[in-house]
Amino acid sequence: MSAAVTVAERIGSLVPEMIVFGGSVVVSVTGLSPKRSVRAATPFLSVLTLIAALVALTKGWGGSTTAGLLLPGVGPFARGLILLMGVGGAALAAGLVDRRYEEAVARGVAPFDPIRVVRGEFFAFMLLSICGALLIPGSPDLIWLFLALELTSLPTYIMVAMSRGTRRAQEAAVKYFFLGALSTAILVYGFALIYGSTGSLQLTEIRAALAQQSAMGGIDAVGTIGLLLVAIALCFKLAAAPMHFYAPDVYEGAAAPVTGFLSFLPKMAGFSALLLVVDAAGWGGMSNAGNGLPPALQATLWMVTVLTMTLGNVGALLQRSAKRMLAYSSIAHSGYMLMAIVAGPELGLPALLLYLLAYGVNNNAIFGALSGIERNGQEVEKVEDLAGLARRHPGAATWLAVGSASLMGMPPFLGFWAKLVLFIAVVKSGHTPLVVIAAVNSVVSVLYYLRLAGVPILAPSGAAAEGVVKTPSAGPRLAAVVFGVGVLVLPLFMNRLVSQIEKAAGVPQKMGAAAQPDALQAASR
Amino acid sequence: MTPLLAQAGLTQGVTVALVLSAALFTIGLIGFLVRRNMILMFLCTELMLQAASIAFIAFGRMREDTGGQTFVIFILTVAAAEAALALGLVVLLYRRRETLSAEAWQELHE
């Protein structure tokens, strides 16, 4: 039980988080330095902080204690993934905030005024948000989970408002904030009902209490409503129906690097939290096909899954703005990933982790390509404006095409393998109708992904496309190259990757598949 | 009242508190959906958070467990952080448009 874990042990398992937190304090100071070179080093320091945290995690300073935790195997993998994608996010945003002002200062037009620079704060908020996401997978109780979720989302609202000085960015920030506040309230009410039903805030104790209720004829009404409210509230983080409608507006209003950050980190945080909640609700049981969720929750998740992927893909078809299209695509991918939750832990969990990895890598490659180009100092918004990009900027067009093809699920890119593993897992768990719907959706998605990949290469360039130039900062292009190469190279290591992920996901298999490794060993003997 | 809750010792006072909490939550949710003034919309989400706080205290009393009250302290802290953020954003928007109506902000749409 959790009582066996001392406070010192618990704090000792937070070394990566503490490094990230320390980094956020440092960058908020360096961002205010009167020296221009120190200010310019702020994004670089953020990247270094995240890499340091990643090294600390791989050295095993992320804690080895598993007592009192649900799904302890997922923790290190999820935290590594968050840090890796955070490095990409920080690189994407390298030249974003304060650019005009810094240019004016460099030319000597404006005097340096520390009140007017916000770059340090921007990267501090980004690191704080990553710190919050890192805390989620290892949550021992509901208070920790609640605070970690809030630490993830509160800084992102400010990042959206800061990302551009435009009215649209501010409108996006307010929309995002109000719906975030609503989802927080629903989440907390759900937690209160779960607490009322089980009498505990510890996730392990909640799981035991809910399992006992299930065995005695079903989870009571209070607990069921609590679980449903929490699931609906987490849909906001995932950008899943019925809480998805903010996504297109927010993604369009925020600057492209922040959009790239928002389409991965909150989703990752949401799935980490949802995994804990469904595991507490008896995910590892065997009463349904593939999992032991209470029927009401299972049915809700099934409907949310279908609605999310359908609304996402149909919505994306109608878009002219590249970022709105990617917002709907992000909704659709949440839908695909939710299938893994419906499929149950044994098959679904490794598939979900692999899909999150693939989605994050694709996402950074695409947004790196989009953030690396501009026209008249503005982002390139419409897909038509990308026409002829391949001739002028072959790099950006290549990574855009690679990223789109991979999100589409075209072999041999990374996205294809992730989708394949996921679809196989869902079929094996007996949810064939879901896979049929997902396959139809995938076919629909080909239409708009082909447009995003094909217009830059095939369409003749018009007047609007001529003015497209590279942004001064190399950060986004570097991120596009690194993650784009990842999309191409990672499939070569697919076997090792899958076995690593299965090892990470192995722990929750104890309920259904405890006998399996022994059987395998016996067979190999 | 379900038999399970009765077994757990749901007393009269706790029932009243839970009904109050459910009512507050519903009022907050409806208010959020129908109101268009940004300050009122924010207050509605606060109302929902406080509904959760009351539920936590009531359930803590019912279970004779201090966890519920502990959670409430953290809810208050987060609500304060959210309020600071909300006021900052609302002031920023008010300077641009001189109105608090959410309907004045519709640049982002299909």
Side-chain angles (χ1 to χ4, degrees):
Chain A
M1 290 317 293
S2 58
V5 183
T6 64
V7 175
E9 271 179 301
R10 191 68 87 203
I11 292 175
S13 70
L14 299 180
V15 175
E17 284 84 351
M18 284 191 267
I19 292 174
V20 174
F21 179 72
S24 82
V25 175
V26 171
V27 297
S28 66
V29 175
T30 61
L32 295 174
S33 165
K35 276 215 185 89
R36 190 157 167 271
S37 55
V38 177
R39 292 203 300 279
T42 303
F44 189 62
L45 277 176
S46 314
V47 170
L48 274 187
T49 302
L50 292 168
I51 291 175
L54 199 56
V55 170
L57 191 70
T58 51
K59 291 263 180 221
W61 297 343
S64 54
T65 168
T66 57
L69 299 183
L70 296 185
L71 302 172
V74 173
F77 179 83
R79 286 155 89 189
L81 191 55
I82 290 164
L83 285 169
L84 199 62
M85 298 307 149
V87 171
L92 280 185
L96 175 69
V97 184
D98 281 351
R99 191 179 135 200
R100 303 266 169 276
Y101 182 65
E102 288 289 345
E103 279 168 5
V105 171
R107 283 204 312 273
V109 182
F112 174 69
D113 178 4
I115 296 289
R116 285 188 59 191
V117 290
V118 289
R119 180 158 52 185
E121 290 158 44
F122 178 84
F123 282 100
F125 282 131
M126 181 180 265
L127 291 179
L128 280 178
S129 181
I130 292 171
C131 186
L134 287 175
L135 287 166
I136 293 174
S139 306
D141 60 41
L142 292 181
I143 296 182
W144 181 311
L145 185 57
F146 168 59
L147 291 179
L149 278 168
E150 286 306 294
L151 185 58
T152 313
S153 38
L154 285 178
T156 58
Y157 309 140
I158 310 173
M159 283 165 62
V160 172
M162 266 185 184
S163 66
R164 305 200 265 192
T166 61
R167 279 212 294 260
R168 298 165 89 193
Q170 289 166 5
E171 183 186 336
V174 168
K175 278 189 176 165
Y176 195 33
F177 170 76
F178 274 107
L179 281 161
L182 180 71
S183 88
T184 300
I186 296 176
L187 181 85
V188 175
Y189 204 77
F191 279 176
L193 295 184
I194 292 175
Y195 172 67
S197 169
T198 61
S200 175
L201 291 172
Q202 298 288 327
L203 283 166
T204 44
E205 287 171 21
I206 290 173
R207 178 165 70 177
L210 290 178
Q212 200 183 3
Q213 287 185 18
S214 293
M216 286 165 62
I219 294 172
D220 63 18
V222 174
T224 309
I225 296 171
L227 287 170
L228 289 180
L229 286 178
V230 170
I232 297 293
L234 288 174
C235 281
F236 169 80
K237 298 267 179 308
L238 309 179
M243 302 282 271
H244 68 288
F245 44 84
Y246 73 92
D249 288 351
V250 173
Y251 286 22
E252 189 190 355
V258 175
T259 311
F261 187 77
L262 288 184
S263 56
F264 180 75
L265 192 92
K267 214 184 277 293
M268 182 73 213
F271 272 110
S272 308
L274 189 60
L275 282 175
L276 293 180
V277 172
V278 291
D279 196 42
W283 202 36
M286 277 298 153
S287 56
N288 294 320
N291 72 50
L293 291 178
L297 187 58
Q298 170 83 356
T300 310
L301 283 174
W302 200 93
M303 278 188 289
V304 165
T305 307
V306 171
L307 266 179
T308 306
M309 55 191 173
T310 312
L311 289 176
N313 281 314
V314 172
L317 279 180
L318 310 170
Q319 302 308 318
R320 296 176 71 220
S321 153
K323 276 197 293 176
R324 281 190 93 85
M325 187 190 276
L326 286 170
Y328 278 104
S329 136
S330 145
I331 296 171
H333 282 278
S334 279
Y336 299 148
M337 287 189 258
L338 277 166
M339 287 198 304
I341 305 262
V342 177
E346 213 180 305
L347 300 156
L349 187 55
L352 175 62
L353 295 179
L354 179 66
Y355 206 99
L356 279 167
L357 170 76
Y359 180 73
V361 174
N362 288 336
N363 197 50
N364 273 346
I366 285 204
F367 278 100
L370 279 181
S371 309
I373 50 173
E374 62 177 6
R375 184 160 49 90
N376 301 332
Q378 300 285 320
E379 277 171 20
V380 184
E381 300 248 330
K382 296 206 174 71
V383 178
E384 296 97 87
D385 293 352
L386 295 168
L389 191 69
R391 239 166 301 133
R392 301 179 55 86
H393 304 286
T398 309
W399 301 127
L400 211 52
V402 167
S404 309
S406 183
L407 280 179
M408 188 199 302
M410 184 195 273
F413 299 111
L414 183 58
F416 165 73
W417 299 101
K419 219 175 225 180
L420 186 69
V421 170
L422 178 65
F423 282 18
I424 291 176
V426 182
V427 169
K428 270 195 192 158
S429 70
H431 291 279
T432 316
L434 264 187
V435 174
V436 172
I437 298 169
V440 172
N441 267 296
S442 287
V443 173
V444 171
S445 76
V446 168
L447 293 171
Y448 62 87
Y449 284 130
L450 273 185
R451 208 147 72 83
L452 193 59
V455 166
I457 297 171
L458 301 173
S461 58
E466 289 303 320
V468 175
V469 294
K470 286 180 181 174
T471 51
S473 167
R477 288 193 294 280
L478 205 61
V481 172
V482 170
F483 287 94
V485 168
V487 172
L488 297 174
V489 172
L490 280 178
L492 301 177
F493 305 99
M494 198 43 84
N495 268 337
R496 198 183 299 174
L497 204 61
V498 169
S499 69
Q500 280 290 324
I501 288 174
E502 274 176 350
K503 212 168 74 185
V507 182
Q509 296 186 4
K510 62 181 179 290
M511 314 234 7
Q516 214 171 16
D518 301 338
L520 278 177
Q521 273 175 2
S524 64
R525 261 182 240 131
Chain B
M1 204 192 298
T2 62
L4 205 71
L5 286 178
Q7 274 172 19
L10 193 66
T11 58
Q12 191 75 42
V14 171
T15 316
V16 171
L18 287 178
V19 169
L20 171 68
S21 129
L24 275 182
F25 185 80
T26 317
I27 292 169
L29 185 60
I30 293 172
F32 184 87
L33 296 175
V34 301
R35 286 292 187 152
R36 278 295 156 261
N37 182 306
M38 285 191 279
I39 300 271
L40 281 178
M41 281 167 79
F42 179 70
L43 287 180
C44 287
T45 65
E46 291 292 302
L47 208 57
M48 290 163 76
L49 280 180
Q50 299 323 316
S53 298
I54 292 174
F56 262 118
I57 292 173
F59 282 129
R61 179 84 183 82
M62 176 181 113
R63 299 280 179 183
E64 295 182 343
D65 180 81
T66 52
Q69 294 186 30
T70 316
F71 206 124
V72 171
I73 294 174
F74 287 98
I75 293 179
L76 292 176
T77 318
V78 168
E82 272 192 355
L85 190 50
L87 286 177
L89 282 172
V90 167
V91 168
L92 188 72
L93 261 68
Y94 186 76
R95 284 198 185 144
R96 291 255 182 174
R97 285 273 165 92
E98 300 273 307
T99 170
L100 285 173
S101 170
E103 277 163 3
W105 292 86
Q106 296 198 336
E107 272 185 42
L108 297 169
H109 52 79
E110 298 295 330

